[in-house]
Amino acid sequence: MTHKLPRILLCAVAFAGALASSHAAHAAGVKPDAHSALIAVDVQNCFVTGGTLPVKGGEEVVPVINKLAGAFENIVITQDWHTPGHASFASSHPGKKPFETIKLAYGTQVLWPDHCVQGTDDAALHKDLQLPKAQVIIRKGFHKDVDSYSAFEEADRKNLTGLAGYLRQRGIKTVYVTGLATDFCVAWTAMDARKHGFDVYVIEDATRAIDLNGSLAAAWKQMAAKGVKRIQSSDIQS
Ligand SMILES: [Zn+2]
């Protein structure tokens, strides 16, 4: 008994400590540091009202991301950047319509309206996005036969964009993912960031979703399973 009691006490103390620290972390929020980066995913004309593949309320992320940017030393922007006639476009597959799926060499691909074609105004960043501190823009989906929701890896899971290497060489350990759309490019970027060894937060109110056939709930579940943390912009301390 004299041996067991201290062990039980120790467990109780450790458990209480864990509870207290997790509560404290939530109450105090999270504070980005020099090893943190904000990633603004695909805040482009194509994905907002008036664009070729509008996400409902997509433009509403702009002021949220602009405000968040003040808390970050390091900012990465991504752009969906397709060739004309890209494999992810329904128009490239006779008889297919947008939002249907097709089997491509690397797996099932959702087919989209033509969107974010390289060099077009549709593919430009939203005019009100103000991220002058941003240090790199990663363009993705530029191989004609391969889509890339993720800012880290193309959909064939073979071609890398270079973002993981960039972040690692810059000493970044934690990424905070925002932008469009929650259940596609944000989710894939967040999960691949975990795969490449980063701590990952998705700032929910700085994203908007497409929610195609339950894709939003599925994405949150998959992200949670991979250790992606879901927070709100009010949780970020500047
Ligand atoms: Zn795309």
Side-chain angles (χ1 to χ4, degrees), residues 87-209:
S88 72
F89 298 169
S91 64
S92 303
H93 306 275
K96 287 288 184 182
K97 294 195 192 72
F99 310 108
E100 292 180 357
T101 57
I102 194 171
K103 285 269 182 213
L104 294 181
Y106 53 80
T108 302
Q109 170 72 47
V110 178
L111 294 173
W112 305 105
D114 290 24
H115 65 281
C116 299
V117 173
Q118 297 169 0
T120 62
D121 186 53
D122 189 58
L125 295 171
H126 191 286
K127 67 176 173 38
D128 295 330
L129 190 68
Q130 288 175 4
L131 301 176
K133 284 194 287 185
Q135 297 135 352
V136 68
I137 297 176
I138 294 286
R139 289 173 166 169
K140 60 187 182 60
F142 50 76
H143 285 128
K144 191 173 182 183
D145 297 324
V146 189
D147 204 3
S148 189
Y149 296 151
S150 165
F152 289 89
E153 298 185 7
E154 295 186 358
D156 63 1
R157 316 310 272 164
K158 289 182 187 142
N159 295 313
L160 304 182
T161 65
L163 181 56
Y166 171 83
L167 293 172
R168 209 166 288 127
Q169 290 192 325
R170 293 276 330 280
I172 303 299
K173 302 207 176 330
T174 307
V175 296
Y176 295 77
V177 189
T178 63
L180 305 169
T182 325
D183 39 348
F184 288 91
C185 294
V186 167
W188 284 53
T189 296
M191 289 191 283
D192 277 356
R194 288 290 300 142
K195 179 178 170 185
H196 286 274
F198 299 96
D199 286 330
V200 184
Y201 294 88
V202 168
I203 306 175
E204 184 175 15
D205 59 324
T207 72
R208 291 293 183 277

Side-chain angles (χ1 to χ4, degrees), residues 40-45 47-48 61-62 65 78 124-126 129 179-180:
V41 174
D42 298 4
V43 186
Q44 295 166 263
N45 293 333
F47 296 122
V48 302
V61 305
V62 173
I65 294 172
T78 78
L125 295 171
H126 191 286
L129 190 68
L180 305 169

Side-chain angles (χ1 to χ4, degrees), residues 206-228:
T207 72
R208 291 293 183 277
I210 292 173
D211 203 9
L212 189 65
N213 305 319
S215 57
L216 180 59
W220 280 121
K221 202 169 167 189
Q222 288 166 5
M223 286 192 279
K226 299 227 182 305
V228 173

